Amino acid sequence: MKSKVKSPNFRIKHSLFLRYLAFGLMILFVSFIALGITMYYFVTSYWESEKKQNLIDNANKVADVIEASSDYSSVTRTLIINDLDLFTVTISTISQSIDADIFVVDTKGDCKYCSEGDVCVHQSALIPSYVLASTTGGEFFEHGTLQNFYEEPYYTAGVPIIINDQGESVLVAFCYVSTKSAFVSQFPMTFMRIFLTATLFTLLIVIIFVLWMSYGMVRPLRQMSSAAKKFAVGDFSTRVPVRSDDELGELATAFNYMADSLSASESMRRSFIANVSHELKTPMTTIAGFIDGMLDGTIPPERQPHYMKIVSNEIKRLSRLVTSMLSLSRIDNGELKLSRQNFEMFSMIVTILSSFEQKIEEKRYEIKGLEDFKSLMVYADPDLMYQVIYNLIENAVKFTNEGGYIAFSLDETRYDLSISITNSGAGIPPEDIRYIFDRFYKTDKSRSIDKKGMGLGLFIAKSIMRLHGGDIYVESVVNEYCRFTFRLPKKTSQNTKTSSQQKNKQYIETTLSSETEE
């Protein structure tokens, strides 16, 4: 009966979609501000640089025209333009082509000529002295009102007009070119429109991208959440599709692997419950039937010893079941501890093998390889190693074909020793090899052969070997043989005195005599 587990009452307060959207919009907002400031600075700087160069070039052209077509009176210190009409046409053409005002002022800042005519702002006041001083040294350029000379910002560039008088260079006037900074005043609004248009367009793209990306990321997570809720009630059939090869794909693969493991564990658990129920029911029914038969006189007194022996065997069978369950519990809780001792392993193998002598003779098994063994002292937990070897020999006896063989071999190196137990017979199918050491797993699911197995022996054996720092392996060819090999590391403290060996041997034999009967 499945236990009902209350589904977790969890409400999403901050969805991944909203987080990704907010994060994307924040990055977009910051990026556009930085881009806008950068673009505004560089465009403005570039425009001013180009405007400055253009105005100064045209100011130099006008100055060259004046210097080429004028005379200078050193007595009156007056600049006389020879062909005023031609000069006017030239200056007017240049002024119109660059959309700028061109005016010439004397060294005191008084306007003497302006492309606008006689009535202009330049003739209403003197040019500021700092402008004249700056122009005297070479080129002048400024974006502003020239100390309120203009009512609004202008781009103004100027150059000095120098006449060669009797071999001397004389500064006689200044030529200025001035134009409204209409572009700069209109640029913020124009740039803002461009910026907002680009922002809205990019925002739409980002929202679509975040929707697609977050949906692709959240969908497998939601599928995992839904599957996990089903796992909680015992349904392990759901799997998450793997649609990518990134971290989410790796997570989905790991999740599916976990689901496979849980499904296999659940299947083995159910099989284990069925096995335990069967193992408990059969001997208990047998024991109860025979005991009741003795009590009510159904079984005559002369037959009671025979049935008491059967009852004894069934009780030992129950004892082995309880022992396996306790061992499994100790392994799960990490309570299985080693009590290492020096003992002779060959004697243990022979003693365990002799406990199956009746079955070996009945099925005419051939025992091989023991003649090649030698006295083999190991440093390990004798009780646990007995459990490992007993389980492997029991399986070999159980699954060897009639008239087959059971072979033992030893491979010893400087650092460890390996003992192999091989039996002829049906072997283990390839599809079962990977699960053979899992708990509750049984290759013979019909119980036609493995009637007493619970699927715990090999799991416990592997756990014991790994606790010793070793391991246990299996190899098999179907319908030929099956070989189990356990490896045990050597310890320097294996060398002991003969008296200690005899004492351990007596202890082992005493233990075996009380535990191996069936």
Side-chain angles (χ1 to χ4, degrees), residues 283-299:
M284 291 177 68
T285 301
T286 302
I287 293 171
F290 289 154
I291 294 297
D292 289 342
M294 294 177 193
L295 292 176
D296 61 17
T298 304
I299 299 176

Side-chain angles (χ1 to χ4, degrees), residues 4 97 169:
K4 294 183 179 180
S97 66
S169 298

Side-chain angles (χ1 to χ4, degrees), residues 240-257:
V240 178
V242 181
R243 295 188 174 90
S244 63
D245 55 358
D246 53 10
E247 288 81 358
L248 280 176
E250 182 182 11
L251 177 61
T253 302
F255 186 88
N256 291 336
Y257 177 77

Side-chain angles (χ1 to χ4, degrees), residues 354-463:
S354 63
S355 66
F356 295 94
E357 182 177 358
Q358 183 178 356
K359 292 183 180 180
I360 292 173
E361 291 179 352
E362 288 177 357
K363 295 189 177 183
R364 304 189 308 279
Y365 293 160
E366 180 184 1
I367 306 301
K368 301 179 180 180
L370 289 180
E371 64 276 6
D372 298 329
F373 271 63
K374 59 181 179 179
S375 178
L376 187 62
M377 292 299 299
V378 296
Y379 181 66
D381 189 314
D383 293 335
L384 297 181
M385 288 307 301
Y386 168 81
Q387 192 172 355
V388 172
I389 298 172
Y390 184 90
N391 184 276
L392 296 180
I393 293 179
E394 181 185 36
N395 284 342
V397 172
K398 187 185 303 179
F399 294 103
T400 301
N401 58 309
E402 189 169 352
Y405 68 87
I406 300 175
F408 295 83
S409 62
L410 170 67
D411 183 19
E412 189 172 3
T413 67
R414 179 180 177 184
Y415 303 102
D416 55 27
L417 58 91
S418 299
I419 296 178
S420 298
I421 302 176
T422 308
N423 67 278
S424 60
I428 302 175
E431 62 271 15
D432 290 333
I433 288 289
R434 59 179 296 190
Y435 302 111
I436 197 67
F437 292 106
D438 290 350
R439 65 178 72 192
F440 313 134
Y441 191 80
K442 295 178 65 176
T443 58
D444 181 48
K445 304 183 176 56
S446 65
R447 296 195 186 93
S448 59
I449 299 177
D450 190 10
K451 294 183 179 181
K452 297 182 180 180
M454 293 164 288
L456 289 175
L458 290 177
F459 171 76
I460 294 174
K462 193 173 187 70
S463 299

